Amino acid sequence: MRYAVLFPGQGSQRVGMGADLFDARPDRLVDASDRVLGWSLREVCLDGPEEKLTATEHAQPALYALAYQLWTELSERVGGPPAAAAGHSLGEYTALAAAGAFSFETGLGLVDRRARAMADAVARVGSGMAALLGVSDEVARQVASDRRREGGRLWVANLNAPGQVVAAGALDDIGWLVGNARDLGIRRAIQLDVAGAFHTPLMEPAVSRLADALAGVGIRPLAFPVWANVTARPMAGSQVKEMLSRQITAPVRFGETLRGMADAGVDTFVHVGPGDVTAGLARRAARGCRVLVASSIAEVEEVADRLGRS
C-alpha cells in the first residue's frame, strides 16, 4: 500500500470547523497561531461570522493551520511517511510544511502574507471564478483563449478532474461565460462565491510581495515528495520558492497531479483537512484508487487504523 496525502485549498472553510483540534492542541492552534497572525484563529473559526471567515486573509491561514494539525495527529498514528503529498492551491503550503520544508509557524507566516497580498490584488479589479461542468480541459482553454483574443480577461484557473474545470477572470467575462455556456460547448457554468480571479494574471500584484516573504525563508530537505500545482510533478527543494511564486498566477493542475501519482504507484489518497473536496477530485481523477477522509480527530483515528491494516 502506497498512500498520498492531499490538503485542501480556500473554499473548504466553514464556521465551527476545528473545535476538536482547538481543544486538543491549544498550544499550537491558539498560542502559536495568534502570535503569528495577530488575531484569534479560534474565535474566527468557531464563531465567525461566515463573512469574516470566508475573507481570503482569514480563510487561508485558518485552513492551513487546521489541516496541518490534522496531519500532525495522523502522522503520530501512522508508522511511515506517505509516498507523496499535494495540496490544492493554498494546500501546497500545508503539504510542504508536512514534508518539513519549513516549520508550521514559518508556513503560517507565509500563508498570512500570501493571503493579504492576494486580497489586495483582488481589490484592484472586479473579478471572479466559475466552475465549468461537462467540458474537456482543451475546450475550456480554447474558450478562454478566444475570449482574450476578443479583448476579454478570462483564463483557466483550475484543472481539477475530468469534466471539472474552473475558469477565472473579470466579472464581465465570468458573466458572459455563465450566460453562454451551452453555446460554447460547456454543459453548465456556475459562478463561484469567491473573492476574485485566483491563479490568473490578475493576481500579478501579489507575486512580488510573496517573493519578498519567501526570500527570507530557508527551505529544508523534503521528507517525502510534494507535487507542484504548476508542473503536476514532484518538486525539488531548490524549486520550492519558484513554484510557490509561480503558483499565484498559474493554473492549478490538480487532476494531472492525481493521475500522475496513481501512475507512480499511489493506490490510496487521504484528504487531510476541513471538508472533503480533494477526496472528491481523487475519486474522479484516479478511479480505482482508495480514497479516505481525515477532517476531524475521530476520522484521523479511523484512517490511521485503516492504513495500519493495509
Side-chain angles (χ1 to χ4, degrees):
M1 187 271 296
R2 288 169 55 83
Y3 79 96
V5 289
L6 306 174
F7 297 98
Q10 192 170 346
S12 294
Q13 68 278 352
R14 63 174 180 81
V15 175
M17 66 180 185
D20 54 347
L21 292 167
F22 285 110
D23 289 341
R25 290 302 301 269
D27 55 331
R28 185 174 295 278
L29 287 180
V30 178
D31 301 339
S33 295
D34 291 5
R35 184 174 61 252
V36 172
L37 298 173
W39 47 270
S40 173
L41 184 68
R42 181 187 182 109
E43 181 179 309
V44 172
C45 286
L46 299 187
D47 301 330
E50 183 177 354
E51 182 179 355
K52 186 173 185 178
L53 176 59
T54 302
T56 297
E57 61 269 27
H58 294 134
Q60 292 192 15
L63 290 166
Y64 167 87
L66 296 185
Y68 181 87
Q69 187 52 46
L70 283 166
W71 159 252
T72 299
E73 298 289 333
L74 180 63
S75 64
E76 290 173 351
R77 291 167 170 80
V78 178
H88 193 285
S89 186
L90 153 75
E92 192 161 271
Y93 287 76
T94 324
L96 286 165
F102 38 70
S103 69
F104 166 76
E105 290 83 358
T106 295
L108 184 60
L110 288 172
V111 169
D112 177 50
R113 293 184 65 174
R114 174 187 192 261
R116 287 187 280 117
M118 292 175 74
D120 289 346
V122 165
R124 296 188 179 204
V125 58
S127 61
M129 305 180 85
L132 311 184
L133 307 179
V135 64
S136 68
D137 295 354
E138 293 74 20
V139 168
R141 287 193 181 103
Q142 190 62 54
V143 167
S145 176
D146 290 346
R147 183 65 172 177
R148 291 197 305 276
R149 276 199 296 270
E150 296 170 357
R153 292 177 292 176
L154 185 68
W155 296 267
V156 167
N158 302 157
L159 298 163
N160 285 332
Q164 189 178 103
V165 179
V166 175
L171 286 176
D172 287 348
D173 297 297
I174 293 297
W176 169 83
L177 182 63
V178 171
N180 295 280
R182 285 196 172 274
D183 292 338
L184 296 167
I186 303 165
R187 178 164 57 83
R188 189 181 180 196
I190 306 168
Q191 186 163 354
L192 300 177
D193 185 18
V194 296
F198 302 133
H199 302 291
T200 74
L202 294 182
M203 291 293 103
E204 184 65 37
V207 174
S208 61
R209 289 174 59 181
L210 178 61
D212 289 343
L214 287 165
V217 173
I219 303 298
R220 301 189 297 238
L222 304 183
F224 44 82
V226 175
W227 289 56
N229 287 181
V230 173
T231 63
R233 299 296 303 164
M235 67 179 98
S238 60
Q239 296 176 300
V240 168
K241 293 183 181 182
E242 177 194 357
M243 293 297 103
L244 293 179
S245 292
R246 288 175 58 191
Q247 187 218 64
I248 294 284
T249 56
V252 175
R253 296 163 60 182
F254 209 68
E256 191 178 343
T257 292
L258 294 167
R259 293 190 295 272
M261 286 181 169
D263 290 344
V266 168
D267 54 27
T268 301
F269 291 94
V270 183
H271 169 98
V272 182
D276 61 359
V277 169
T278 70
L281 299 181
R283 293 187 184 101
R284 291 175 64 93
R287 297 185 184 277
C289 292
R290 182 168 60 163
V291 180
L292 307 174
V293 175
S295 62
S296 66
I297 292 179
E299 288 181 342
V300 162
E301 293 172 350
E302 294 174 8
V303 167
D305 182 58
R306 294 184 67 179
L307 293 177
R309 287 188 281 105
S310 298

